[in-house]
Amino acid sequence: MSLLRSARFPAIVLLVAAALGLVVANSPAAGPVDAVMHSYLGIPGVFELSVSHWIKDGLLAIFFFVVAVELQYELTSGQLNSARKALQPAIAAAGGVVLPIVLYAVIAWGSDAVDGWPIPTATDIAFALGVLAVFGKGLPSALRVFLLALAILDDIVGIVFIAVLFTSDVNFGALAGAAVAVVAFGILSRQLDTRARVPIAIMLVVLAIAAWVLVYLSGVHATIAGVVLGLAMAQRPALRVRHELEPWVNVIVLPVFAFSAALVAIPSVPLSQLSPAFWGVLVALPVGKLVGISLFGWVSLRVAHRGGPPPLAFADLLAAGALGGIGFTVSLLLSELAFADAPPLRDQATLGVLAGSVVSLLLAAGLVSWRAWHHRRLTATAQKPA
């Protein structure tokens, strides 16, 4: 299980799963796999979803639950538990959101692809930390802390976008029912350490499923159920549940989603005919994130250093900015949502996410390796006897 929980493992598996999805979508197996993705599962006449929707709305809700538990911990006991600690990564995260939006809007302005502006705002925390673990031996721990806080704040932005931008025709009755289920879930979770923990655990699972179904029926994206359940659960049992779920999220949830999201046929058209949805994401992820995070991060060190974490060199901020450009999971979900009614644009935006994330990955690998080598050299020099 230690391998499944390691920082390196998710990044490798996600990359393989996405590559496999692209290969399958452009092979003779595309037809049968597409048929499977559009087949329906559930209780006939009561609650049925296609396999694709079960993956995007169901499996991914588990991932968002795990993210929310980590977010709850960081906000109460971790790296974001005070305004001073949170201010530097918050400023950098703002740059990593605003600049990609601006770049995408400039490229897509006046086209039907302009609605995809939220897509390049996300950072894939599992992928970014995985690349850092592979190439960053010797880097100061402050960089990992900074990147973790930055990615968590990015996740908050992504969650807000999903909840606000992609919700329509809200069924307030179902939403109220979901709220009741979440409150009951939060209260019961505080009784898990009693003798009745087995029946309480069963009731928690039932309440979580009920909350998810009601959120789905309300018109709000169902992954938000995972977020609110993760934030509502008592911290100690939530961290235990997160520990148990983490290997399954890494080996099943995220790879299956990456595979399904990457089932995109590569268009056989010249580069000049590719949509602004592709070019906007391709440019905004690596360039917007790199420039936005490093520039705003540099500003944050000058306006918010006192009482905050140790300052990072600008070159280290460049490495963090490149890592931030690995959008992947949340960006793929945002592309699905932004162009739900325009499959050709959705497919090109998905290709943009994959290509932009790969460019960012390669750039980050180079920058992180360079900075790690630099810090190891400095450490070795400092340890030499005078």
Side-chain angles (χ1 to χ4, degrees), residues 11 70 78 100 196 199 204 211 219 227 231 268 282 287-288 308 326 331-332 368 376 380:
E70 184 168 13
L204 286 175
V227 176
L231 293 175
S268 55
L282 176 63
V287 178
I326 306 173
S331 285
L332 287 172
V368 169
R376 289 197 300 269

Side-chain angles (χ1 to χ4, degrees), residues 37-325:
M37 286 294 169
H38 288 89
S39 60
Y40 278 75
L41 298 175
I43 304 173
V46 179
F47 191 83
E48 288 184 284
L49 295 176
S50 68
V51 171
S52 178
H53 274 94
W54 278 116
I55 293 170
K56 289 183 291 187
D57 294 347
L59 278 183
L60 216 55
I62 301 172
F63 164 70
F64 275 98
F65 173 85
V66 170
V67 168
V69 170
E70 184 168 13
L71 172 60
Q72 180 200 128
Y73 173 79
E74 294 297 337
L75 289 172
T76 56
S77 308
Q79 301 304 322
L80 302 174
N81 68 345
S82 72
R84 285 182 175 179
K85 287 183 179 179
L87 189 55
Q88 288 183 18
I91 294 173
V97 169
V98 172
L99 200 60
I101 289 175
V102 171
L103 282 176
Y104 183 93
V106 168
I107 293 171
W109 192 259
S111 74
D112 52 1
V114 73
D115 290 340
W117 60 265
I119 297 171
T121 59
T123 294
D124 190 300
I125 186 170
F127 227 135
L129 291 177
V131 173
L132 188 64
V134 172
F135 297 100
K137 184 180 179 180
L139 282 172
S141 60
L143 180 58
R144 187 184 187 280
V145 170
F146 179 84
L147 180 65
L148 179 62
L150 177 80
I152 288 172
L153 290 166
D154 256 12
D155 282 338
I156 295 175
V157 173
I159 290 165
V160 170
F161 282 162
I162 292 168
V164 175
L165 298 177
F166 305 112
T167 296
S168 59
D169 301 324
V170 177
N171 182 329
F172 289 101
L175 200 58
V180 171
V182 169
V183 170
F185 179 90
I187 294 171
L188 271 179
S189 71
R190 283 150 178 82
Q191 310 301 317
L192 266 176
D193 291 330
T194 65
R195 291 182 179 179
R197 60 181 175 273
V198 173
I200 287 175
I202 294 171
M203 291 175 66
L204 286 175
V205 172
V206 172
L207 284 169
I209 294 172
W212 179 84
V213 171
L214 288 166
V215 169
Y216 180 86
L217 294 175
S218 75
V220 176
H221 197 270
T223 53
I224 299 301
V227 176
V228 294
L229 289 168
L231 293 175
M233 194 171 189
Q235 188 173 104
R236 185 182 298 177
L239 290 172
R240 290 201 300 266
V241 173
R242 179 188 181 278
H243 182 74
E244 294 301 322
L245 286 177
E246 188 177 34
W248 303 104
V249 169
N250 289 344
V251 79
I252 295 177
V253 174
L254 292 180
V256 169
F257 172 71
F259 173 82
S260 66
L263 287 170
V264 176
I266 299 174
S268 55
V269 298
L271 290 178
S272 60
Q273 293 182 22
L274 286 171
S275 164
F278 172 82
W279 293 112
V281 178
L282 176 63
V283 173
L285 267 178
V287 178
K289 284 289 189 181
L290 175 67
V291 177
I293 290 172
S294 56
L295 182 60
F296 278 60
W298 178 82
V299 170
S300 75
L301 296 180
R302 271 120 193 98
V303 302
H305 171 55
R306 182 172 295 182
L312 293 169
F314 183 72
D316 290 336
L317 292 173
L318 285 174
L323 288 164

